[in-house]
Amino acid sequence: MLAAAASVKLSPASAAAAATKLTFKPIHLPPLHKSSPRPLSLSARPLYRQEPFLAAPPRTASPAATADGARPVETAAPEAARRAKIGVYFATWWALNVIFNIYNKKVLNAFPYPWLTSTLSLAAGSAIMLASWATRIAEAPQTDLDFWKALSPVAIAHTIGHVAATVSMAKVAVSFTHIIKSGEPAFSVLVSRFFLGEHFPQSVYFSLLPIIGGCALAAVTELNFNMTGFMGAMISNLAFVFRNIFSKKGMKGKSVSGMNYYACLSMLSLVILLPFAFAMEGPKVWAAGWQNAVAEIGPNFVWWVAAQSVFYHLYNQVSYMSLDEISPLTFSVGNTMKRISVIVASIIIFHTPVQPINALGAAIAILGTFIYSQAKQ
């Protein structure tokens, strides 16, 4: 345009008039969105954009993938494959937990020594993971002294919770133990509120009412109620709440996978539990009880002990691996469904007598747990 203007010869008067007009005539620039779709310079782009201007919008995770608060995962696998993987984790977790509870109750019925039974469960898991690390089936974690110091209070709480739950299983029906253990959210809120000073919305406090009421109704109407079994389940709830609190506080910044984290937890818990198991029961009691159980059950008893020990580790290991893949909300819902499957399976297999009002209390408590998991998030 300038070149064309320079090629035209104007008279002095015309040039002056043209200059005057050009001086006051506004210049109308085309709007930005009508310009050619060339990429803007880097300095002109928004800081959060990486693609050229007017390019296709960035891909975002589907609503189904983030509706429950899970962080988006950038993987090459399609979303359907990820959901299938989580589904396999959940199904495996529930199946292993049901199998463990069945064999654990069979062992305790024939061999009522929960301290040794708890010790064997932790020992089996420790042996499995040590063999996996030695053969490089699983990569050994990189830990230091600070890691084990942070893990110590978690292991103490885990040991107390594990033994208390086993004591409860030895004294009462499997279904009753899990009904009482469904009240764990109530302990979590109360401990967080009065010991840690945390505050929760009113919906969380209201969700505790059906949990407490349902557990109370189930306990009052339990046909084979036993105070030791009831207190064992309650202590287990409290211990696991403190385990979760210590884990959140002490493990911040620690880069250990869920599988290896639980393996280390099992090993440290085993070291803590061993001296107490010897003090509470002892080899003489174990030897006599073992002979009686083998004489009564036969060689199958040895298989029961091995199965309950191995399946205890496997179901916990899969649950920690699941937590690596999903949000805490999804994990909480899965844990609620797991309790339902255990309660139903144990009632069917052990022919546990259940009154209608007792079943109603269990249903109310489990429904309250589900409502709590929704309100908490």
Side-chain angles (χ1 to χ4, degrees), residues 43-282:
S43 61
R45 297 182 190 176
L47 294 177
Y48 56 84
R49 294 182 67 91
Q50 297 298 325
E51 66 281 348
F53 186 66
L54 295 179
R59 292 178 59 188
T60 57
S62 62
T66 58
D68 61 355
R71 59 182 184 274
V73 183
E74 295 295 333
T75 59
E79 182 66 16
R82 192 182 76 89
R83 291 184 179 181
K85 180 181 179 182
I86 295 174
V88 170
Y89 273 147
F90 268 38
T92 306
W93 175 23
W94 298 342
L96 292 173
N97 189 261
V98 169
I99 295 172
F100 158 72
N101 279 276
I102 291 172
Y103 279 110
N104 182 244
K105 184 60 177 176
K106 284 186 174 184
V107 169
L108 291 171
N109 284 341
F111 185 77
Y113 301 103
W115 289 86
L116 178 60
T117 305
S118 302
T119 303
L120 293 176
S121 300
L122 296 174
S126 301
I128 290 172
M129 289 310 300
L130 287 174
S132 299
W133 293 339
T135 56
R136 299 187 180 276
I137 295 176
E139 184 178 357
Q142 301 296 324
T143 61
D144 53 18
L145 184 60
D146 291 336
F147 171 84
W148 292 102
K149 286 182 179 179
L151 190 64
S152 296
V154 184
I156 293 173
H158 179 73
T159 304
I160 295 173
H162 175 44
V163 174
T166 308
V167 170
S168 177
M169 295 271 284
K171 297 296 183 179
V172 296
V174 176
S175 56
F176 181 70
T177 298
H178 280 272
I179 291 170
I180 301 304
K181 284 180 67 64
S182 65
E184 185 176 326
F187 286 87
S188 178
V189 171
L190 294 176
V191 169
S192 300
R193 176 67 183 86
F194 293 106
F195 287 88
L196 303 179
E198 295 184 11
H199 295 273
F200 301 93
Q202 291 185 351
S203 58
V204 172
Y205 293 110
F206 282 122
S207 70
L208 300 182
L209 296 179
I211 296 176
I212 297 173
C215 289
L217 183 60
V220 170
T221 58
E222 174 64 24
L223 295 175
N224 299 315
F225 180 83
N226 180 279
M227 182 56 71
T228 303
F230 174 75
M231 291 304 300
M234 296 288 280
I235 293 172
S236 177
N237 281 340
L238 187 61
F240 284 145
V241 166
F242 278 105
R243 179 194 65 179
N244 296 337
I245 292 173
F246 293 146
S247 181
K248 289 178 182 177
K249 283 191 169 186
M251 299 311 297
K252 288 182 178 178
K254 308 295 183 183
S255 57
V256 177
S257 67
M259 180 177 65
N260 284 335
Y261 176 80
Y262 181 72
C264 296
L265 181 62
S266 295
M267 294 173 189
L268 190 54
S269 295
L270 177 61
V271 173
I272 296 171
L273 178 57
L274 268 175
F276 290 95
F278 276 93
M280 294 298 296
E281 293 171 349

